[in-house]
């Protein structure tokens, strides 16, 4: 079974500063994908970034980067130059990549508040 | 629009009523997932379709929950004899490959 742990229920960050949201995972699968999604108060689930278990380079997507440490089973999200619009709930998510299409397993989330 | 749509966006039901929640996936997306998100929690998997075939329904919490996708496009999640613990946001997602695209969700409140 897969499990995602997000230990920070809430985080505060000053506008323009960087912030790291923690995520650890547990799986017996060899091939898996790790995702981060953002959920604003409006409720939609917005895909941010993806890291495959066999990818050697850490994923980056604009101001988002994923600090992937496979041996430690961690996949922290780093947001650089925080903006007020980054205030939202952030979910670390994983999926078994074999076989075919499989459900996403979500963590409990971290609520990020950006302060002006 | 080009995204996943869900209707209704909000639904209030009296305990014991039946409800039906609709999901319109992105055109051409083969896979469709339903998730349940309780207040303050992350979404949890309910069921999965590939085209019209329901390949996994292991997440459905009870036999009061039923989902269908008869023509491989629109899907309906039906909850019979609703209970207060069914109150949640029900999210639908569709995908063609690895990434799942989510709809806005239906917020169900059972009184």
């Amino acid at each position: 079974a897969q499990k995602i742990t997000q230990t920070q229920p809430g985080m505060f960050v000053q506008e323009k500063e960087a912030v790291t949201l923690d995520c650890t995972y547990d799986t017996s699968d060899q091939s898996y994908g790790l995702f981060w999604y953002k959920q604003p108060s409006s409720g939609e689930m917005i895909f941010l970034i993806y890291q495959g278990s066999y990818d050697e380079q850490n994923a980056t997507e604009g101001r988002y980067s994923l600090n992937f440490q496979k041996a430690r089973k961690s996949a922290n999200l780093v947001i650089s130059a925080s903006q007020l619009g980054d205030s939202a709930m952030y979910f670390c998510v994983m999926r078994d990549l074999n076989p075919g299409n499989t459900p996403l397993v979500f963590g409990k989330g971290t609520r990020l508040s950006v302060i002006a | 629009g080009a995204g996943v749509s869900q209707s209704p966006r909000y639904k209030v039901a009296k305990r014991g009523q039946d409800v039906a929640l609709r999901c319109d996936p992105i055109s051409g997306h083969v896979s469709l997932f339903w998730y349940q998100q309780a207040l303050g929690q992350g979404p949890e998997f309910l069921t999965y379709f590939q085209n019209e075939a329901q390949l996994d329904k292991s997440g459905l919490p009870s036999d009061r929950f039923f989902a269908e996708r008869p023509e491989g496009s629109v899907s309906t999640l039906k909850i019979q004899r609703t209970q207060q613990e069914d109150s949640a946001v029900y999210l639908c997602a569709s995908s063609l490959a690895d990434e799942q695209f989510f709809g806005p969700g239906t917020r169900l409140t059972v009184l």
Side-chain angles (χ1 to χ4, degrees):
Chain A
Q2 299 171 326
K3 185 179 178 182
I4 293 282
T5 302
Q6 294 181 255
T7 57
Q8 305 154 314
M11 289 280 287
F12 289 89
V13 65
Q14 200 76 32
E15 195 178 8
K16 299 180 186 177
E17 297 292 314
V19 63
T20 298
L21 306 184
D22 294 341
C23 172
T24 57
Y25 61 90
D26 192 20
T27 182
S28 56
D29 300 315
Q30 295 300 309
S31 179
Y32 52 89
L34 295 157
F35 306 75
W36 279 89
Y37 280 83
K38 170 184 178 182
Q39 188 177 42
S41 56
S42 52
E44 72 267 35
M45 198 69 73
I46 302 168
F47 165 76
L48 295 178
I49 195 167
Y50 168 79
Q51 178 89 40
S53 58
Y54 289 112
D55 296 339
E56 295 188 354
Q57 298 282 343
N58 284 345
T60 60
E61 196 72 49
R63 293 186 300 111
Y64 305 107
S65 60
L66 199 153
N67 185 359
F68 180 46
Q69 298 188 41
K70 192 171 182 177
R72 299 178 63 182
K73 293 191 174 179
S74 76
N76 298 341
L77 177 70
V78 180
I79 305 175
S80 62
S82 297
Q83 301 172 356
L84 294 177
D86 294 335
S87 293
M89 198 74 169
Y90 288 80
F91 291 99
C92 181
V93 184
M94 76 179 301
R95 182 166 79 79
D96 177 13
L97 296 182
N98 290 310
N101 215 335
T102 53
L104 300 176
V105 176
F106 286 76
K108 291 187 181 297
T110 296
R111 183 169 298 282
L112 177 67
S113 300
V114 181
I115 305 165
Chain B
V4 179
S5 60
Q6 292 186 246
S7 61
R9 291 292 314 277
Y10 303 91
K11 176 70 179 177
V12 178
K14 291 183 179 178
R15 191 173 58 178
Q17 277 185 331
D18 297 349
V19 298
L21 312 180
R22 177 187 169 106
C23 172
D24 283 84
I26 294 171
S27 178
H29 278 196
V30 170
S31 300
L32 187 147
F33 297 83
W34 283 98
Y35 295 88
Q36 179 191 56
Q37 185 176 17
L39 188 64
Q41 302 293 317
E44 293 189 353
F45 167 73
L46 293 176
T47 187
Y48 159 55
F49 290 87
Q50 187 167 307
N51 295 305
E52 68 277 5
Q54 190 174 19
L55 298 187
D56 188 345
K57 54 181 180 179
S58 62
L60 296 176
S62 78
D63 58 8
R64 296 185 296 104
F65 286 69
F66 172 75
E68 60 184 8
R69 195 186 185 197
E71 297 178 358
S73 56
V74 171
S75 177
T76 304
L77 176 67
K78 298 179 179 177
I79 309 173
Q80 297 176 325
R81 304 180 304 281
T82 52
Q83 304 293 316
Q84 283 189 321
E85 61 262 28
D86 300 336
S87 295
V89 174
Y90 290 85
L91 294 165
C92 174
S94 72
S95 80
L96 193 57
D98 286 336
E99 184 180 344
Q100 294 187 17
F101 296 84
F102 283 82
T106 294
R107 182 177 296 278
L108 173 65
T109 303
V110 182
L111 303 177

